[in-house]
Amino acid sequence: MGIRRILIANRGEIAVRIIRSCERLGIETVLCVSEADRHSLGARMATKAVCIGPASPAKSYLSVETVVQAAMGYGCDAIHPGYGFLSERAELASLCETEGVIFIGPTAAQIEAVGDKLRARSEAIAAEVPVVPGGPVGTPEEARRLAEEIGAPLLIKAVGGGGGRGMKLVEDLADLHATMDMASAEAGAAFGDARVYLERYVREGRHIEVQLLGDGAGRVVHLGERDCSVQRRYQKLVEETPAPRLPPATRDKLLAAAVRFAKRLHYRGAGTVEFLYDVGRDEFYFLEMNARIQVEHPVTEMVSGVDLIAEQIAIAGGEGLRLRQEEITLSGAAIECRINAEDPARDFMPSPGTVTHAEWPKGEGIRVDTHIVDGAMVPPFYDSMIAKIIAHGPDRASALQRLCNSLGMTRIEGIATNLDFQRRILADPDFAEGGIDTGFLARLLEKEPA
């Protein structure tokens, strides 16, 4: 089934990214925009832009019925959800299935299988993928018993979602019940699901994830791993591939485990399996699966030459998985910095406003994914990320040098950004050496606050 017109249920740089692939494929695009995004770059680039509601995400980008009605009303064959917003809402995939609109992503059942973190843990165990010691808790007494078995420190995590919301560290078991109450309340507010579970805390861990594509019939390929260990409050800031200083034998096991997990689900489309790598033990554990395209997908595209958006569309359109594992070649290294409209000097407070001037880098091995041009508005209602700058080189050192040079060439005026802070990260000797853990950024800020 050929897809001729796609409704994009998203905004910002990912909307522009999807439009560019569709243009190359000769596919028309209808972009959903809120009233705040009527004049965005994406609205001007799409074949057609349709306003679906006010600026509030709950009344526009998060309205399942409105999005599907817009797709049907404007004659779209398919919906691409991008990332965030409705991308991992089984309700959208289900309604698409009911109304005969192609959902460019996994099935509703697959989204439900990985969206519930406890069920995902069970699927991982069934696929013989290692998980962090821990488990569900229903009562304070169950929590106490499991916590004593795991030992401190431990993490309390939300069953219904990720991104650090509902996640709390317990250093002393005397604080367990009070911290659980806070985590449960936060999870309930963020995901509508107050359930939490416990896991052992790994002090020196790295966040490593594997990019996958599946045909929905049991065939799955991987496109290598990404290291996303540079995080602030569980939010990624820098991503790269391949993961530096990861033992080759461990990398092979990790890639195989991710493929095994996705095959068990008969996964369809693009997805990412995330792992926590315990540096001291040289062991890895399943964290979760993201059933969508990831923010950091460009680093994989840079080393593989594969357009992941185009592959998503091909799979959804019935062409199946066009790549075989032996055909996927990963060349060199790529690193990505997220540029956010936020002020590091004011505890990273968001900085909405008008961008009076934007100047992005160009050059060999450089890519910029953004929706920001001169005069662009950064509304206060959405995520603060305004761009991703990606550098590719024959090895990590050359990619890092190109990225440093690129940040030096970037100019964004009118709003505060984390551009200088990103330069500081890249210049740090520990980052330059490679293989840092998820505590790196906190240590950097302890030495010298932003």
Side-chain angles (χ1 to χ4, degrees):
M1 180 189 301
I3 294 177
R4 296 166 300 168
R5 181 178 294 177
I6 292 175
L7 181 129
I8 301 170
N10 216 298
R11 64 175 303 280
E13 68 84 19
I14 188 61
V16 172
R17 164 72 189 87
I18 296 167
I19 290 170
R20 292 195 193 285
S21 279
C22 288
E23 286 177 341
R24 188 173 62 77
L25 296 169
I27 297 173
E28 295 181 350
T29 51
V30 176
L31 179 63
C32 292
V33 296
S34 71
E35 290 176 358
D37 287 328
R38 279 180 178 275
H39 306 293
S40 64
L41 178 62
R44 299 200 297 273
M45 289 177 61
T47 310
K48 187 173 187 60
V50 53
C51 185
I52 58 169
S56 168
K59 297 178 180 177
S60 51
Y61 296 111
L62 289 173
S63 174
V64 172
E65 292 78 11
T66 302
V67 165
V68 175
Q69 286 172 8
M72 297 170 67
Y74 286 90
C76 296
D77 310 299
I79 293 176
H80 197 304
Y83 53 70
F85 293 128
L86 298 174
S87 60
E88 292 181 280
R89 286 274 293 274
E91 185 183 356
L92 175 61
S94 179
L95 188 56
C96 284
E97 291 165 8
T98 300
E99 299 293 349
V101 178
I102 298 169
F103 180 71
I104 301 178
T107 65
Q110 290 164 348
I111 294 174
E112 288 174 345
V114 298
D116 183 310
K117 306 307 178 190
L118 286 179
R119 177 162 172 206
R121 267 180 70 96
S122 299
E123 297 287 356
I125 293 168
E128 299 183 343
V129 175
V131 298
V132 183
V137 287
T139 66
E141 182 57 27
E142 288 177 3
R144 183 189 62 76
R145 283 200 298 268
L146 182 57
E148 288 176 351
E149 182 183 322
I150 298 171
L154 57 82
L155 278 177
I156 302 171
K157 302 174 79 171
V159 172
R165 287 177 291 182
M167 185 186 298
K168 302 291 180 187
L169 174 64
V170 178
E171 296 272 12
D172 187 334
L173 294 189
D175 301 327
L176 177 65
H177 290 160
T179 312
M180 272 190 64
D181 288 343
M182 286 191 289
S184 181
E186 189 174 311
F191 309 116
D193 182 349
R195 291 177 299 156
V196 295
Y197 63 104
L198 308 185
E199 277 187 356
R200 185 172 74 194
Y201 177 68
V202 176
R203 284 201 180 277
E204 193 182 1
R206 293 170 61 185
H207 180 123
I208 298 177
E209 61 187 31
V210 178
Q211 177 67 59
L212 300 169
L213 288 170
D215 66 357
R219 197 161 77 82
V220 175
V221 297
H222 74 77
L223 292 93
E225 82 284 1
R226 297 185 286 255
D227 191 324
C228 309
S229 299
V230 180
Q231 300 180 8
R232 177 180 171 273
R233 296 178 183 173
Y234 306 110
Q235 300 297 312
K236 301 167 187 171
L237 280 176
V238 179
E239 299 100 345
E240 62 179 301
T241 186
R245 306 169 75 87
L246 184 66
T250 304
R251 172 181 286 110
D252 291 343
K253 291 178 184 175
L254 191 141
L255 295 172
V259 170
R260 207 160 57 239
F261 181 82
K263 279 186 174 180
R264 174 175 170 76
L265 298 178
H266 284 70
Y267 189 78
R268 184 185 75 189
T272 302
V273 179
E274 298 187 338
F275 295 97
L276 178 65
Y277 173 57
D278 187 329
V279 178
R281 298 170 188 247
D282 187 26
E283 293 177 349
F284 61 85
Y285 308 107
F286 172 84
L287 282 176
E288 62 182 8
M289 182 173 193
N290 296 129
R292 55 176 164 75
I293 195 76
Q294 289 277 84
V295 173
E296 56 270 25
H297 76 275
V299 292
T300 298
E301 293 185 327
M302 293 290 269
V303 300
S304 68
V306 174
D307 181 336
L308 290 170
I309 300 293
E311 294 307 315
Q312 282 187 296
I313 294 170
I315 292 168
E319 294 182 51
L321 187 53
R322 300 186 296 188
L323 299 166
R324 290 184 295 183
Q325 190 65 62
E326 59 270 24
E327 295 172 334
I328 299 171
T329 302
L330 306 176
S331 175
I335 312 175
E336 170 185 289
C337 278
R338 299 189 188 194
I339 307 303
N340 297 334
E342 61 186 17
D343 188 350
R346 301 176 64 197
D347 195 26
F348 297 88
M349 182 177 291
S351 176
T354 301
V355 176
T356 55
H357 178 61
E359 191 173 324
W360 299 109
K362 297 177 182 176
E364 183 181 2
I366 302 302
R367 167 175 164 177
V368 179
D369 282 15
T370 186
H371 59 296
I372 297 299
V373 293
D374 288 0
M377 282 293 300
V378 179
F381 315 104
Y382 314 115
D383 186 88
S384 64
M385 192 182 74
I386 60 171
K388 301 175 300 196
I389 301 178
I390 309 103
H392 176 235
D395 52 41
R396 185 174 187 269
S398 59
L400 180 56
Q401 187 59 56
R402 285 176 176 173
L403 187 55
C404 291
N405 295 342
S406 297
L407 296 190
M409 290 188 280
T410 303
R411 301 284 181 272
I412 305 168
E413 299 172 2
I415 59 170
T417 73
N418 65 345
L419 195 55
D420 288 342
F421 185 64
Q422 286 284 21
R423 289 195 191 103
R424 184 179 157 197
I425 292 172
L426 300 188
D428 185 90
D430 289 341
F431 180 82
E433 185 176 343
I436 49 94
D437 62 67
T438 54
F440 160 77
L441 205 53
R443 294 192 296 273
L444 187 71
L445 288 167
E446 278 180 8
K447 283 191 294 186
E448 185 181 346

